[in-house]
Amino acid sequence: MAINPNVIIWTEDDGKVSICHPASTYSKSLDELAKKVVPSGKSYKIIAQSDIPNDRTFRDAWKENGTRVTEDVSKAKTLAHTTRRKKRETEFKPHDDIIAKQIPGKSASDAETSRAGIRTKYATMQTNIDNATDIAGIKTALGG
Amino acid sequence: MSTLKLKGSSSGEAEVTVAAAAGTPTITLPTASINLATDGSDGQFLKTDGSGTLSFATPAGYTGEATLKAWAAFDGDGDVNATLTEGNLDSITDHSTGQYTATFTTDFSDDNYMMAGAQNTQGFVGFYDEAGITAGSCKFATLDDDGGYNDSFRVTVGWWR
């Protein structure tokens, strides 16, 4: 059976957009399926699958925008900052270990210098994320 | 060593052999009849009631095999519509990063079913909302090893009962 080119969308109480993908074997109308899957009291739309972003980097920032699903730049920035903090923590960790554990043969001074470089790098990233005006700019600020 | 041979009524014979060792073991037959050759069924064992009656019984806890009633496989990091293959599912709903609802075509009799799944080389598939586990649908998630939600290039999930 052919893939259905359409999906059902609605906005949840937390502001996130849910997207119902019908099985290829589903033979009834999407309005019938909506009766089964859309929470009581929620209004829904049937839109083309092609009107949903392909890139899921900022999935939790998706929002209904007429008959399309688009990315909310403000929410995407919040998600980007969470990603930035995680990346920074990962880069800090080996240097933090040297300083905290006083590992023989490892220079705490060198580790502190490396930490300073990482701080500067991520401070710049933070500024670039805040200054971005669109999704592409946020992704570029995050390093691709 | 001594052997007692019992001849069959038409053919064959059975033997009872005494071990070549000291001792006087005794075997006492039960008062009730039992046919060790034809009674019982596959998987059963011989059981006593403690009063001399033997019977065949089913091991405790054996409830039969679970059957796969529904399944799904899709790309959680791409186009779910284009990649979804499934059995007994009307749809998969994508709620956010790594969070989904499977809606069954034919409902389970209740929500006491088993779910198992797999995704990326790291992480796991699990439930994330107890209220979302019902006879007609099931909320499930793909998670990293640290418990954070992720989008997986390959999600496979099955439901058994």
Side-chain angles (χ1 to χ4, degrees):
Chain A
M1 195 169 283
I3 295 167
N4 195 316
N6 296 324
V7 295
I8 304 166
I9 65 168
W10 65 93
T11 300
E12 303 284 1
D13 291 341
D14 62 4
K16 293 178 183 172
V17 180
S18 285
I19 300 161
C20 175
H21 301 269
S24 60
T25 51
Y26 187 75
S27 57
K28 299 176 186 173
S29 72
L30 291 193
D31 284 313
E32 278 298 311
L33 181 57
K35 291 177 187 173
K36 200 170 176 181
V37 301
V38 179
S40 176
K42 295 285 182 193
S43 61
Y44 68 90
K45 294 187 182 79
I46 296 171
I47 68 169
Q49 160 75 23
S50 56
D51 286 330
I52 295 172
N54 290 323
D55 185 342
R56 294 181 63 89
T57 304
F58 300 113
R59 168 63 181 88
D60 293 348
W62 290 6
K63 64 177 181 181
E64 283 189 62
N65 188 356
T67 56
R68 298 180 62 85
V69 173
T70 57
E71 291 139 318
D72 183 305
V73 172
S74 178
K75 282 186 179 178
K77 286 185 179 182
T78 301
L79 296 172
H81 283 306
T82 300
T83 302
R84 172 183 58 81
R85 282 189 285 271
K86 283 184 180 175
K87 284 184 170 182
R88 184 182 60 186
E89 187 180 323
T90 300
E91 290 191 32
F92 267 150
K93 184 155 191 331
H95 305 296
D96 288 345
D97 286 347
I98 290 170
I99 294 168
K101 297 173 184 173
Q102 296 291 303
I103 300 171
K106 302 283 186 180
S107 166
S109 172
D110 288 350
E112 191 51 63
T113 301
S114 296
R115 288 183 89 260
I118 294 167
R119 266 196 300 275
T120 301
K121 170 185 168 183
Y122 282 95
T124 302
M125 183 184 289
Q126 180 175 3
T127 301
N128 290 342
I129 291 171
D130 287 338
N131 290 341
T133 56
D134 56 20
I135 295 298
I138 299 171
K139 286 191 73 175
T140 300
L142 273 174
Chain B
M1 190 181 301
S2 297
T3 298
L4 173 63
K5 290 189 177 182
L6 301 171
K7 287 195 175 295
S9 58
S10 57
S11 63
E13 61 183 26
E15 296 181 355
V16 178
T17 300
V18 177
T24 310
T26 300
I27 296 174
T28 302
L29 295 173
T31 53
S33 297
I34 185 167
N35 188 329
L36 300 178
T38 58
D39 288 355
S41 57
D42 185 24
Q44 288 194 311
F45 67 95
L46 192 59
K47 161 180 179 287
T48 177
D49 67 354
S51 301
T53 300
L54 299 178
S55 63
F56 285 94
T58 301
Y62 181 76
T63 56
E65 296 177 359
T67 303
L68 180 68
K69 298 281 180 65
W71 62 273
F74 58 94
D75 179 355
D77 195 28
D79 185 341
V80 176
N81 255 34
T83 59
L84 176 62
T85 54
E86 78 296 317
N88 189 32
L89 285 189
D90 279 350
S91 63
I92 290 286
T93 298
D94 158 24
H95 295 292
S96 62
T97 300
Q99 296 183 338
Y100 307 94
T101 295
T103 302
F104 306 125
T105 303
T106 301
D107 292 358
F108 282 82
S109 54
D110 56 37
D111 61 5
N112 293 315
Y113 47 78
M114 190 192 98
M115 181 186 80
Q119 53 139 334
N120 294 344
T121 52
Q122 294 180 318
F124 57 98
V125 174
F127 299 115
Y128 75 93
D129 178 2
E130 187 173 1
I133 305 168
T134 71
S137 63
C138 180
K139 286 185 185 293
F140 66 96
T142 49
L143 302 108
D144 294 324
D145 287 340
D146 63 6
Y149 299 110
N150 69 1
D151 283 333
S152 168
F153 64 86
R154 180 71 170 167
V155 183
T156 58
V157 195
W159 291 265
W160 286 259
R161 178 68 196 263

